[in-house]
Amino acid sequence: MRPPERPLPRPLLRELRRIVGAPFVAESAAFSELYAYDGSLSRGAPAAVVFPADARQTAAVVRTAVRAEVPFVPRGFGTNLSGGTVLSEGGLVVCLSRLNRILAVSIPNRCAVVQPGVTNQELQQALAPRGFFYAPDPASQKVATLGGNVGENSGGPRCVKYGVTVHHVLGLEIVTAEGELRRLGGVAPDPPGPDLRGLLIGSEGTLAVVTEITVRILPRPEAVRTWLAVYDSVEAAAQTVAEIIAAGIVPAALEMMDAPVMRAVEESRPCGFPRDAAAVLLIEIEGSAIGLDRQAGRIREICRRRGVREIREARNEEERARLWEGRRGAFGAVARLAPNYLVNDCTVPRTRLPEALRRVEEIARAHDILCGNVFHAGDGNLHPLLLFDSRRPDQLERVHRAGEAILQACVELGGTISGEHGIGLEKRQAMRLVFTEEELALQRDLKGAFDPAGCLNPGKLFPPPQEAAGLKRPADALSSAEEALVRRVRQAFAAGERLRIRGADSLGIRGAEEPDERPVLATEALTAVVELDPENQFFTAGAGLSLSRAQEALAACNQWLPLRPPPLPGRRTLGGIAATAAAGPERTAYGSPRELLLGLGFVDGRGRLLRAGGRVVKNVAGYDLTRLLVGSAGSLALITRLTFRTATRPERCAALVIDGDLAALSRLAGRVLAAPLEAVIAAAAHAPEAGFRLWLGFEGLAETVARGIEEAARWAREEALVRFAASDYDLLAGPFPRLYEEIAARPGLLRIGVPPEQASAAARSVLDGFPTAPLWVDFAGGRIAAGLETLEPGVWRKLRGEISARGGHLLLEKAPASFLPPDGRAFPEMAEDPLFMRLRAAFDPRGIFAAHPPQTACDP
Amino acid sequence: MNLKADYDEIARCNRCGFCQAACPVFRATGSEAGVARGRIALLRALIEERIAWDAGLEGPLFDCLLCGACTAACFPAVPTAELLIRARSAYLTRVGRKAAHRLLFDRLLPDPRRLQRAARAAAIGKRTGLSRLAAALGLLRAFGRNLARAEEILPALPRRAFREEVAPGVYAGAGRTGTVAYFVGCGVDLLHPGVGRASFALLRERRRRVLVLENNCCGLPAWSAGDLAAARRLAAANLTLLNDPSVEEIVTDCSSCASFLRSASRLFPPTDPRHGQARGVAAKILDLAPWMHAEGSTPAEDLRGRRITFHDPCHAARGLGVRREPRELLGRIPGAEFVELPEADACCGGAGSYALSHYDLAMRVLERKMENLKRTGADLLVTTCPACMIQLAHGVRRAGLAVEVRHLVQLTRPGSSG
């Protein structure tokens, strides 16, 4: 046999064998062949494959490889569809398939802790008997590992309702390029500071190796209904999709398959798809049974209006499972039509689906390629499968050209180049369609901050810089306010001057009255509503726009931003909300700003106006700078504009309001949260002299809300809580506006995050230190917001000790200078963290936005 | 043989990886070398001449259980087990055939009497601690490097083979009509004569005449090892015996033998007259479980209060499509409760002689089976393949479970255990 390319130095192999044991280092021509491929068309042979047993061994392997300057790629079961898990230039495969244990499932905290080699399906199987599920469900979930899901920020059919991986991962344990283990995030939600967890998710193994994942789990819905809608035209099916979403219905899945794919599936295994139709939609809704009837009627009506030939409802679980089996097996099944496929995973706004499918068909025809479509229509996430035989080089060439043309078409329609499969090797050139050279340069610098030696999965994501490509994204038009800010930052950059970012709400975590000599960089002029698209449910506006103004604009088209951050939601600006990652007690149901933001415009420390993300939910092109900047509190860049996902305004908001002692209320809240009642809020408010009062809030269809209130009342009685009443509340003000006013009246705003099961104990700690503080405690998320009158260093130290002993963190979102505790600093661990400092240098090399060292009245 | 002839089948693997979820070996190892996608990738690399035939291929080619679960999970249904058999055959030609294989496939398996003598010697060896003698006779040596531990799999070999108790020949039965031929597999004959006795008794109860065949090995072990010539010789010898127009049905209590005999025509080219004969014979081959189901057999033994579960042999579930019949029979047992075994049709790791040649891997596969067994809470585990019985009984002993392992037919007659 011929020796593998670039054999590894013998001492390195000896060291690797010492770390993991000789049987777990494979080095042979056969193994180089076996790990040269993944699910994509790319190839790249490793010189050896290492199978560490645990996180500690993984860290030692990484340390050893980086020290020897040998490139490596971490991988699970190798089903990647963009060439992300094959090596680009030789080196090692670090295969994490032995890290395959589910470490914990906690119902009180509604989370599970897994190792990266556990498959998505294995987790689902472990959760099902306990009445829970994990929302992201890639079609390949049988064999897609959760480590791979994190690496790619995977989606799946259910993501149209629940969002993608980044919305469901609470924490990670990673191995850094230095070979050190480190934790990012955890069960306690929304830790202060830039969201490194969010940055890591979807980074395709180029920044770190993930060795443990903490995910959020959800109670299985009470009922599910599934239809197969059969169409004689692809166009009519695509129009149905756009109309269902525009009607404000949130299906649990909305999938489309066209004729060639259905033929391949049915030839493989009869799953019940028609062989003579042009397209089908697989539509699923789930939730509390009572709310499904009306939605079902509306869906049928829309289908009929669009000329559906037939709508078939799955009569039982077996029929439903068969339809899904066919859908999930579709990629494999197309081998019946041709041995290979190139799958082009691109996303467009849903209303552009009919046009996108037309363009795909034209492109396939022009390149003489057979094309099949099976995709997440509800997300606008296309998967055109270009079918060919890789043994025919001429076909391969045409397929690649057709693929590029399709990506270009989708970007022209307002979409992006990858919804969930990643960039890997195969879409590197297409990155220029969505990012400018400056944006790519910043992302390369971030890669360098994490991986100075360039050993972690090198050669991925980025187009080679020297290549002058024809592909280019047109520059954005700047408003005059944006131009002024850019000029000011450039000036400061040239002069080495430091600036202080301030939002119009003056609520930055530094506190309004903090003495700070630095000139202010204010966003108050950035109040433009740039784009509002109710049909595709997104909204772009300037950072200085107040939330109440934004809600006004959205209300005109029956949309809203599901955010009610304290202290007074309406007065806060969009930029301020993003910078502090602030959210109210509905955070777990609707998501925090981290979940709701689709994209950002920002000015970095060099005065470059850059863009992150886009306008579609499913977008995994490049590093997730949107997530990273949310919560960074002006320490990395100036956020200028924000694109949020919007939601249809619920028909009714009502709460069951229950008085009682904290322990009983917490018990009731725990029961409600573990059940499929769809409570949006489960929070107890505490006002001095009034004691605790639990609010179980329901928002949505009138009948679902009524049912929720009824059930909650029944359970309250079972818990011997008899003092309760139901009351409707205003959508934008939320259930307890008077408490918000009380909190706002205090000069300080304290925010705490703890594991949800610790919420009531944490609330007790707060009241020990601040007996008169108005506060709410959110049992769903494990979060507390409290208005503070004063802050004594001793009280602060004690509270901080208690909260961190409970695995939580705390932050002052608002504080006057008088609050400054002697040891108070914003992100103290970060100032001493070389990784964070390198990260900051990538954004802001001259420290223009930095308070040196970053110090404010808050502390984790 | 020429792998290129299989190029189209091989190219149909588009590396979706769904076989990984189905493959018992991959689930135990997590290595691409132990799953259909990887094995097929190597075959493709051999055809495209990126790698050469050498001993490094032995693991990937021979570690497969041939259980067929990958093909069942594969939408384009790439027949990995079939492809691997042909690749194993090519490997034996190009890289080499082991002496032990020659002894087993060329000398012992084609001759039931010689095989019985060897087994008796092995039995004495085991009973008296003279296992070296058995090893010297070569029967167990055929099974390779893990022999020392693998011997634990076989607790005690019976002193007498089934056909030493019941000589091949024609026996009168209590039934009113019909002649049934009883094909005696090596596993039943040498290792589980009690199963043979139960089957024989049942057949005699239901038919006028029972013909106990002097058949030799069906050929499956040789075929699995890639020794196609030996498999063909064994099948041809059996064919002359089975191709008897006076026999209406040929029954065997080994699902693996039944499945292999059903498909024996593939060993002969369509131009060979034996191809047609083998197809004719195949139509008469019946696995005992569906035969019992058609006959409406009911258990004679009192099994009240027992909790029973069923393990599908690969060759029954995927080879013959037999799944329903044994479950229905077990479900009818008065006073006993039938519980479904999770992943009942996943290979137990016995895979004929696989457990003997790949002890460690087979035990890891078996562990999952035992975990699933524990979840049922059953105290009686039933199956229809003697190789599975050996493996499952070994698993039960290793895991310290109070579970009895029996062949389905052993529930029908009292006093038929052993």
Side-chain angles (χ1 to χ4, degrees):
Chain A
M1 250 183 220
R2 109 196 123 75
E5 276 103 7
R6 292 206 236 169
L8 297 171
R10 303 321 292 177
L12 172 67
L13 282 167
R14 263 201 306 279
E15 179 63 10
L16 292 173
R17 289 200 173 97
R18 193 192 59 74
I19 296 165
V20 299
F24 299 106
V25 178
E27 189 213 12
S28 71
F31 267 88
S32 295
E33 185 66 32
L34 287 166
Y35 284 84
Y37 58 83
D38 56 16
S40 72
L41 300 174
S42 302
R43 290 185 60 86
V49 187
V50 189
F51 297 87
D54 54 27
R56 199 187 46 79
Q57 286 190 4
T58 309
V61 167
V62 168
R63 200 159 46 235
T64 306
V66 170
R67 207 173 285 152
E69 295 184 359
V70 170
F72 64 90
V73 57
R75 104 173 199 165
F77 287 2
T79 55
N80 182 277
L81 290 167
S82 57
T85 49
V86 296
L87 286 157
S88 64
E89 49 199 59
L92 281 175
V93 164
V94 179
C95 183
L96 301 171
S97 60
R98 293 173 71 207
L99 279 73
N100 61 358
R101 286 185 304 135
I102 296 172
L103 300 172
V105 174
S106 165
I107 301 301
N109 285 327
R110 291 168 293 282
C111 74
V113 184
V114 299
Q115 290 187 316
V118 173
T119 64
N120 184 291
Q121 178 159 290
E122 284 166 342
L123 176 61
Q124 308 289 6
Q125 283 167 346
L127 296 175
R130 313 188 68 165
F132 276 75
F133 74 108
Y134 171 61
D137 62 337
S140 57
Q141 67 182 159
K142 264 188 197 177
V143 287
T145 60
L146 290 160
N149 289 181
V150 167
E152 303 301 315
N153 192 12
S154 298
R158 264 200 307 243
C159 294
V160 59
K161 175 163 180 168
Y162 296 100
V164 295
T165 298
V166 73
H167 302 137
H168 297 275
V169 170
L170 295 166
L172 298 172
E173 179 193 65
I174 61 165
V175 175
T176 64
E178 285 84 22
E180 281 161 15
L181 285 167
R182 130 171 223 169
R183 289 191 175 270
L184 307 174
V187 189
D190 305 329
D195 182 10
L196 296 182
R197 169 210 62 110
L199 177 66
L200 257 291
I201 295 169
S203 64
E204 305 193 21
T206 61
L207 301 180
V209 181
V210 172
T211 48
E212 190 188 293
I213 308 157
T214 303
V215 299
R216 193 140 60 92
I217 59 176
L218 304 172
R220 282 161 73 94
E222 180 184 64
V224 56
R225 293 178 68 177
T226 308
W227 294 271
L228 188 70
V230 182
Y231 289 84
D232 290 321
S233 105
V234 171
E235 179 114 16
Q239 284 164 345
T240 305
V241 172
E243 207 167 316
I244 288 175
I245 301 292
I249 297 168
V250 185
L254 184 42
E255 301 282 302
M256 185 161 157
M257 279 164 84
D258 71 2
V261 172
M262 282 191 281
R263 181 155 57 88
V265 168
E266 287 297 307
E267 274 174 26
S268 302
R269 198 164 300 179
C271 292
F273 293 104
R275 284 170 191 252
D276 60 344
V280 292
L281 295 178
L282 190 54
I283 309 169
E284 194 158 281
I285 54 174
E286 60 186 30
S288 72
I290 199 165
L292 297 188
D293 281 342
R294 190 145 56 101
Q295 290 185 57
R298 287 168 74 190
I299 288 172
R300 281 173 178 277
E301 184 196 315
I302 292 167
C303 291
R304 270 192 224 108
R305 200 159 54 225
R306 287 297 173 185
V308 70
R309 184 216 288 180
E310 183 197 352
I311 313 178
R312 255 183 4 229
E313 180 160 3
R315 279 166 302 181
N316 48 41
E317 182 51 37
E318 195 186 317
E319 278 187 18
R320 171 174 177 259
R322 236 157 35 101
L323 289 172
W324 278 112
E325 189 192 2
R327 164 61 188 90
R328 292 186 181 277
F331 279 21
V334 294
R336 297 261 173 190
L337 308 178
N340 301 89
Y341 61 79
L342 178 79
V343 54
N344 239 303
D345 156 52
C346 40
T347 309
V348 295
R350 286 163 290 222
T351 49
R352 313 303 292 271
L353 267 180
E355 199 177 341
L357 287 167
R358 211 159 43 235
R359 299 274 289 271
V360 166
E361 197 200 332
E362 283 163 15
I363 291 165
R365 206 177 324 116
H367 290 81
D368 192 20
I369 300 281
L370 179 61
C371 175
N373 283 290
V374 46
F375 62 99
H376 313 304
D379 292 313
N381 187 186
L382 297 169
H383 289 335
L385 294 159
L386 303 174
L387 305 174
F388 70 108
D389 187 339
S390 65
R391 294 173 292 180
R392 301 259 315 269
D394 62 310
Q395 289 190 358
L396 185 60
E397 171 59 28
R398 272 185 289 140
V399 157
H400 277 301
R401 274 189 286 123
E404 276 171 22
I406 289 172
L407 294 181
Q408 184 132 25
C410 288
V411 172
E412 282 166 15
L413 292 171
T416 189
I417 57 171
S418 182
E420 54 186 7
H421 297 171
I423 302 302
L425 283 170
E426 293 187 349
K427 289 188 181 163
R428 287 180 301 165
Q429 293 297 346
M431 285 284 276
R432 289 205 164 90
L433 290 170
V434 283
F435 293 113
T436 63
E437 291 305 315
E438 286 178 337
E439 286 160 357
L440 290 171
L442 173 61
Q443 294 190 36
R444 274 196 205 92
D445 289 348
L446 283 184
K447 159 88 171 146
F450 275 83
D451 176 26
C455 290
L456 274 83
N457 204 7
K460 304 293 168 67
L461 292 180
F462 303 110
Q466 69 276 16
E467 277 175 43
L471 310 173
K472 213 176 163 199
R473 190 191 91 193
D476 296 322
L478 294 194
S479 70
S480 58
E482 282 170 331
E483 263 176 49
L485 287 169
V486 165
R487 263 201 314 275
R488 183 70 188 88
V489 175
R490 285 192 182 152
Q491 197 185 8
F493 176 72
E497 179 190 20
R498 295 193 306 113
L499 301 171
R500 179 158 72 96
I501 298 170
R502 206 194 65 195
D505 53 2
S506 303
L507 252 193
I509 57 164
R510 275 171 242 290
E513 296 159 48
E514 181 195 349
D516 190 330
E517 306 289 292
R518 294 177 296 163
V520 165
L521 194 60
T523 61
E524 55 222 337
L526 300 170
T527 54
V529 172
V530 181
E531 201 174 2
L532 199 176
D533 185 339
E535 292 189 320
N536 290 305
Q537 297 192 306
F538 69 85
F539 168 72
T540 304
L545 188 70
S546 71
L547 184 56
S548 58
R549 280 288 159 77
Q551 302 286 27
E552 265 168 45
L554 288 163
C557 41
N558 198 32
Q559 296 285 302
W560 75 303
L561 269 178
L563 281 168
R564 303 178 195 116
L568 284 177
R571 278 206 224 140
R572 302 204 58 173
T573 62
L574 300 182
I577 290 169
T580 52
E586 58 288 322
R587 180 234 178 284
T588 306
Y590 291 128
S592 76
R594 280 183 177 136
E595 275 91 43
L596 295 166
L597 272 163
L598 301 176
L600 289 176
F602 60 93
V603 180
D604 74 358
R606 290 181 168 93
R608 301 183 293 197
L609 185 72
L610 306 173
R611 199 159 93 173
R615 292 180 286 194
V616 286
V617 175
K618 281 175 132 181
N619 181 2
V620 297
Y623 293 135
D624 193 344
L625 303 188
T626 309
R627 237 60 59 189
L628 176 67
L629 289 173
V630 175
S632 67
S635 61
L636 296 175
L638 166 69
I639 296 171
T640 55
R641 64 165 78 168
L642 307 92
T643 302
F644 281 97
R645 177 153 58 113
T646 66
T648 304
R649 287 165 73 98
E651 277 177 6
R652 184 185 170 199
C653 302
L656 190 74
V657 190
I658 310 139
D659 287 331
D661 75 277
L662 186 58
L665 296 176
S666 154
R667 214 168 32 243
L668 175 62
R671 262 186 82 182
V672 167
L673 289 165
L677 271 192
E678 301 182 312
V680 167
I681 294 173
H686 181 268
E689 285 137 46
F692 277 102
R693 173 169 273 194
L694 176 67
W695 302 72
L696 295 172
F698 299 87
E699 305 178 5
L701 296 176
E703 59 267 38
T704 323
V705 171
R707 153 94 199 299
I709 299 266
E710 208 174 286
E711 283 289 290
R714 194 164 59 80
W715 290 6
R717 269 185 233 108
E718 281 176 21
E719 294 284 337
L721 291 161
V722 289
R723 281 180 296 144
F724 58 77
S727 81
D728 283 43
Y729 58 84
D730 178 67
L731 175 69
L732 301 179
F736 29 65
R738 246 176 305 159
L739 178 74
Y740 267 53
E741 275 165 26
E742 293 244 18
I743 292 174
R746 309 296 196 275
L749 171 60
L750 171 68
R751 156 172 144 197
I752 290 177
V754 288
E757 63 180 342
Q758 303 283 348
S760 44
R764 292 245 176 264
S765 295
V766 175
L767 288 176
D768 280 352
F770 308 94
T772 60
L775 64 82
W776 51 253
V777 44
D778 160 22
F779 297 111
R783 300 159 63 254
I784 294 169
L788 304 187
E789 203 68 66
T790 54
L791 185 64
E792 304 298 328
V795 176
W796 172 256
R797 269 195 299 273
K798 178 164 176 287
L799 180 63
R800 196 185 52 193
E802 287 174 14
I803 296 299
S804 63
R806 296 190 183 282
H809 44 71
L810 66 176
L811 170 82
L812 284 172
E813 271 196 37
K814 178 179 99 168
S818 59
F819 271 35
L820 272 177
D823 57 347
R825 279 194 303 185
F827 314 127
E829 84 282 16
M830 288 182 179
E832 288 137 31
D833 176 1
L835 174 60
F836 175 70
M837 296 314 277
R838 290 200 300 268
L839 191 72
R840 207 180 69 183
F843 276 92
D844 181 13
R846 294 207 174 158
I848 289 178
F849 301 129
H852 63 101
Q855 70 172 356
T856 63
C858 59
D859 197 319
Chain B
M1 69 146 285
N2 183 7
L3 271 185
K4 278 216 165 86
D6 298 320
Y7 200 14
D8 282 347
E9 297 268 40
I10 287 166
R12 271 189 9 221
C13 170
N14 59 22
R15 300 183 309 281
C16 74
F18 275 31
C19 47
Q20 295 175 337
C23 177
V25 174
F26 183 82
R27 285 165 98 151
T29 64
S31 167
E32 197 75 22
V35 71
R37 183 175 80 158
R39 303 183 213 275
I40 289 168
L42 290 179
L43 300 188
R44 186 163 178 163
L46 284 164
I47 293 171
E48 293 172 359
E49 296 179 344
R50 284 197 303 278
I51 58 172
W53 287 98
D54 71 13
L57 292 170
E58 186 182 329
L61 294 185
F62 287 85
D63 286 352
C64 173
L65 296 156
L66 306 176
C67 73
C70 49
T71 307
C74 175
F75 271 73
V78 178
T80 303
E82 302 268 343
L83 293 168
L84 275 180
I85 295 300
R86 296 203 275 279
R88 285 178 184 183
S89 167
Y91 179 90
L92 297 182
T93 316
R94 288 164 191 266
V95 185
R97 193 159 170 259
K98 286 179 183 163
H101 278 168
R102 279 200 295 274
L103 174 72
L104 184 66
F105 298 139
D106 299 352
R107 298 206 13 98
L108 296 177
L109 293 184
D111 183 341
R113 286 172 204 281
R114 197 182 288 156
L115 186 60
Q116 282 161 6
R117 280 199 299 279
R120 193 157 51 238
I124 295 165
K126 270 204 82 86
R127 281 168 195 271
T128 58
L130 293 174
S131 45
R132 237 189 249 166
L133 177 66
L137 273 159
L139 177 63
L140 293 175
R141 198 180 63 207
F143 300 123
R145 59 183 186 279
N146 290 316
L147 178 69
R149 274 172 308 158
E151 267 190 281
E152 292 165 19
I153 296 173
L154 301 168
L157 291 169
R159 277 180 198 281
R160 267 152 56 98
F162 169 70
R163 282 180 296 187
E164 288 175 315
E165 294 173 26
V166 178
V170 180
Y171 292 82
R176 291 217 193 103
T177 56
T179 299
V180 61
Y182 175 32
F183 184 95
V184 186
C186 305
V188 167
D189 197 29
L190 303 174
L191 304 170
H192 283 294
V195 173
R197 286 194 295 273
S199 301
F200 181 55
L202 183 65
L203 295 173
R204 285 184 81 182
E205 185 186 294
R206 299 291 172 131
R207 291 293 180 268
R208 199 162 64 84
R209 280 181 354 134
V210 177
L211 174 60
V212 175
L213 292 169
E214 189 160 20
N215 59 279
N216 57 44
C217 166
C218 66
L220 176 59
W223 187 78
S224 299
D227 198 335
L228 301 186
R232 201 171 293 125
R233 273 197 304 280
L234 291 163
N238 283 330
L239 200 53
T240 53
L241 195 69
L242 299 174
N243 191 24
D244 173 353
S246 73
V247 172
E248 289 142 19
E249 45 185 5
I250 305 162
V251 170
T252 178
D253 42 19
C254 172
S255 297
S256 302
C257 293
S259 166
F260 190 71
L261 291 168
R262 275 268 181 89
S263 56
S265 63
R266 65 188 154 170
L267 293 166
F268 307 104
T271 49
D272 189 322
R274 290 173 296 183
H275 182 85
Q277 289 169 13
R279 291 183 62 159
V281 167
K284 295 194 225 171
I285 301 283
L286 276 169
D287 181 73
L288 189 63
W291 188 88
M292 287 167 68
H293 189 266
E295 288 291 316
S297 304
T298 47
E301 196 180 336
D302 184 1
L303 295 166
R304 269 174 295 187
R306 302 293 294 269
R307 202 173 160 90
I308 307 175
T309 193
F310 183 74
H311 161 75
D312 291 287
C314 300
H315 284 101
R318 283 176 293 274
L320 298 167
V322 171
R323 292 172 188 268
R324 181 177 56 87
E325 296 89 341
R327 286 176 172 76
E328 287 186 3
L329 284 170
L330 293 170
R332 273 184 218 154
I333 296 176
E337 184 191 359
F338 177 75
V339 280
E340 185 62 31
L341 176 67
E343 303 177 353
D345 68 352
C347 182
C348 63
S353 58
Y354 183 92
L356 300 176
S357 53
H358 296 79
Y359 185 79
D360 286 336
L361 218 43
M363 289 308 114
R364 285 158 76 186
V365 173
L366 181 59
E367 272 160 28
R368 189 173 177 107
K369 182 61 71 180
M370 290 301 119
E371 285 308 309
N372 283 325
L373 176 60
K374 276 184 216 163
R375 272 192 254 160
T376 64
D379 58 7
L380 179 53
L381 171 59
V382 178
T383 190
T384 58
C385 164
C388 297
M389 287 173 70
I390 292 167
Q391 172 83 347
L392 294 170
H394 181 58
V396 164
R397 277 195 304 278
R398 263 169 58 104
L401 304 179
V403 180
E404 196 186 350
V405 178
R406 288 219 247 162
H407 192 287
L408 181 68
V409 74
Q410 289 176 297
L411 304 189
T412 61
R413 310 298 311 169
S416 59
S417 59

